[in-house]
């Protein structure tokens, strides 16, 4: 195949926690690759999602939300963001239209500006504000001192409904994909054009289980938890998966398990359904709960759990 007019490159999705970065990645790719929850700091590592057409390949990197690190895991999360910015052909800055500018937006924008990388800005969650508020925000951004926004790179969008407001018209999310391609260099495809990601199924299974924990438990539990798939056995009509939910304290064990195992049963059932949707095969999940005291603060434990 001739690739002389083919474009491909890396596009990092950057922004503070909870603005809808992972939701956007999934809408761009058309599959649920990155986990989503209403809680901040859901994404902990860089998730690659690949968008393929006959003449372009966009390699999206969904990154953790920007934060000021308070412990080792968050240090790693920040390092993933910085690494991703460095290795990109284009950055997509995402913010929440109903909460902008807020703490950290200035910091993220300054990092983007300093990186001197090309950038597209997506003001997400426009469903939460009125059209007159959109106009006010647009004027404010176009006249901002930062000099990052211009009429060509600024999009107002609702990732949930996949509606984009560009050129004063309502369009669909493809208008952003087309714009992204214009920024990419001429390259042959960098990844297999059949694949949506280069991450292994084990990783997605871990993330799916972690998403259920983010959805169903409160306070510190989601943040004190990580998941490791220990064993994946492919049988004829089903996959049998052993996974460990790691927590930080013995006292968290009864909370994770719930009365008569109800809570962990719900996590197991819903994870089995999502894993099976992804693999196209029945999934049987066995979950274990183990304690590694203060794992979030220990480099060795982080390494062991895959945060490298
Ligand atoms: N109303 C509304 N909610 C949205 C939209 N996009 C995402 N959300 C919601 O915002 C919350 C956070 O979405 P995520 O995609 O997990 O956000 P994120 O930026 O990846 O968050 P972190 O991984 O924690 O940095 C979820 O509850 C989403 O359903 C949108 O366009 N409108
Ligand atoms: Mg995310």
């Amino acid at each position: 195949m001739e690739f002389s007019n083919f474009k491909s490159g890396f596009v990092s999705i950057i922004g503070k926690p909870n603005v809808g970065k992972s939701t956007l990645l999934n809408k761009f790719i058309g599959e649920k690759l990155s986990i989503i929850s209403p809680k901040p700091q859901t994404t902990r590592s860089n998730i690659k999602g690949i968008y393929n057409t006959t003449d372009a390949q966009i390699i999206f990197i969904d990154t953790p939300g920007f934060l000021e690190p308070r412990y080792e895991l968050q240090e790693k999360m920040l390092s993933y963001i910085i690494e991703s910015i460095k290795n990109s052909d284009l950055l997509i800055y995402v913010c929440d239209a109903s909460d902008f500018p807020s703490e950290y937006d200035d910091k993220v924008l300054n990092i983007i500006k300093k990186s001197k990388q090309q950038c597209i800005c997506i003001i997400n969650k426009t469903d939460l504000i009125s059209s007159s508020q959109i106009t006010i925000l647009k004027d404010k951004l176009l006249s901002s001192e930062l000099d990052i926004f211009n009429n060509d790179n600024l999009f107002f969008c609702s990732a949930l409904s996949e509606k984009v407001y560009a050129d004063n018209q309502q369009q669909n999310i493809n208008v952003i994909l087309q714009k992204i391609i214009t920024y990419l260099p001429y390259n042959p495809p960098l990844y297999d054009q059949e694949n949506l990601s280069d991450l292994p199924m084990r990783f997605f299974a871990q993330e799916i289980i972690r998403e259920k924990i983010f959805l169903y438990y409160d306070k510190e539990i989601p943040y004190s938890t990580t998941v490791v798939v220990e064993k994946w056995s492919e049988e004829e009509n089903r996959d049998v998966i052993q996974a460990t939910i790691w927590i930080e304290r013995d006292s968290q064990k009864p909370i994770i398990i719930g009365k008569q195992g109800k809570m962990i049963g719900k996590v197991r059932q819903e994870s089995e359904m999502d894993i099976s949707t992804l693999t196209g095969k029945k999934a049987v999940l066995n979950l274990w709960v183990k304690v590694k005291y203060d794992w979030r603060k220990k480099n060795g434990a982080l390494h062991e759990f895959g945060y490298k």
Side-chain angles (χ1 to χ4, degrees):
M1 194 168 162
E2 178 62 60
F3 288 120
S4 56
N5 285 321
F6 201 91
K7 293 184 120 187
S8 67
F10 292 90
V11 177
S12 292
I13 308 176
I14 316 278
K16 51 174 226 131
N18 217 32
V19 294
K21 298 181 295 299
S22 302
T23 309
L24 266 167
L25 172 91
N26 293 343
K27 297 295 181 184
F28 286 142
I29 303 293
E31 280 281 343
K32 190 172 166 195
L33 285 183
S34 201
I35 61 168
I36 294 168
S37 93
K39 297 190 179 77
Q41 298 174 42
T42 305
T43 307
R44 283 188 188 155
S45 54
N46 291 347
I47 316 289
K48 215 175 274 168
I50 306 171
Y51 173 83
N52 290 301
T53 69
T54 47
D55 45 21
Q57 181 175 70
I58 310 172
I59 303 123
F60 286 105
I61 319 282
D62 178 23
T63 66
F66 177 85
L67 40 72
E68 305 271 17
R70 286 184 295 120
Y71 44 85
E72 289 296 319
L73 172 61
Q74 292 184 332
E75 297 274 1
K76 295 259 181 222
M77 287 159 68
L78 181 61
S79 74
Y80 300 144
I81 304 172
I82 303 298
E83 180 190 297
S84 178
I85 291 178
K86 250 196 293 185
N87 297 323
S88 289
D89 296 289
L90 174 72
L91 306 179
I92 298 186
Y93 163 68
V94 185
C95 71
D96 178 338
S98 68
D99 178 31
F100 180 82
S102 69
E103 209 195 341
Y104 296 141
D105 274 311
D106 286 353
K107 287 195 171 122
V108 179
L109 283 166
N110 273 317
I111 290 175
I112 290 176
K113 182 144 189 178
K114 263 200 196 138
S115 77
K116 301 212 162 63
Q117 298 276 34
Q118 314 184 86
C119 180
I120 281 182
C121 306
I122 298 184
I123 318 298
N124 190 35
K125 306 199 188 182
T126 48
D127 51 293
L128 300 178
I129 65 168
S130 66
S131 51
S132 60
Q133 283 171 307
I134 294 182
T135 313
I136 294 168
L137 192 51
K138 186 171 180 183
D139 289 344
K140 192 169 147 191
L141 295 177
L142 290 178
S143 59
S144 111
E145 279 175 13
L146 254 177
D147 202 19
I148 279 182
F149 310 99
N150 59 56
N151 250 322
D152 204 41
N153 75 353
L154 184 57
F155 292 91
F156 287 80
C157 138
S158 166
L160 280 190
S161 64
E162 297 181 48
K163 284 184 186 142
V164 176
Y165 303 86
D167 307 325
N168 295 326
Q169 290 175 37
Q170 194 163 295
Q171 309 204 26
N172 75 21
I173 206 147
N174 282 329
V175 66
I176 304 183
L177 287 164
Q178 292 316 312
K179 175 60 80 177
I180 292 169
I181 292 169
T182 66
Y183 283 89
L184 298 184
Y186 286 98
N187 269 330
L190 302 168
Y191 289 84
D192 188 333
Q193 288 174 288
E194 300 297 312
N195 291 346
L196 297 181
S197 185
D198 68 339
L199 291 162
M201 213 38 101
R202 271 173 185 254
F203 174 81
F204 289 112
Q206 289 169 181
E207 288 286 276
I208 286 168
I209 301 164
R210 216 164 56 69
E211 180 186 65
K212 306 309 167 207
I213 295 168
F214 261 76
L215 292 175
Y216 301 133
Y217 298 88
D218 289 325
K219 301 194 183 113
E220 277 303 283
I221 294 287
Y223 301 101
S224 296
T225 306
T226 196
V227 177
V228 177
V229 166
E230 315 285 354
K231 197 170 167 212
W232 190 302
S233 314
E234 288 192 31
E235 298 182 359
E236 200 178 314
N237 297 315
R238 57 180 208 170
D239 290 331
V240 181
I241 304 152
Q242 314 269 7
T244 304
I245 298 175
W246 287 97
I247 48 176
E248 291 192 303
R249 306 256 182 282
D250 282 316
S251 59
Q252 292 167 336
K253 213 174 207 171
I255 305 173
I256 290 278
I257 292 170
K259 270 195 192 129
Q260 291 161 340
K262 260 204 181 133
M263 288 298 284
I264 201 165
K266 189 167 155 172
V267 169
R268 181 179 53 76
Q269 266 183 350
E270 296 210 1
S271 302
E272 281 178 345
M273 281 196 299
D274 281 13
I275 295 169
S276 151
T277 304
L278 213 56
T279 58
K281 209 169 160 192
K282 185 177 156 82
V284 177
L285 185 59
N286 295 311
L287 289 174
W288 302 90
V289 183
K290 291 184 190 163
V291 181
K292 174 98 63 182
Y293 188 76
D294 273 350
W295 66 263
R296 274 188 283 180
K297 300 183 180 127
K298 293 178 178 157
N299 250 322
L302 287 169
H303 208 261
E304 185 188 329
F305 295 157
Y307 301 99
K308 297 199 170 126

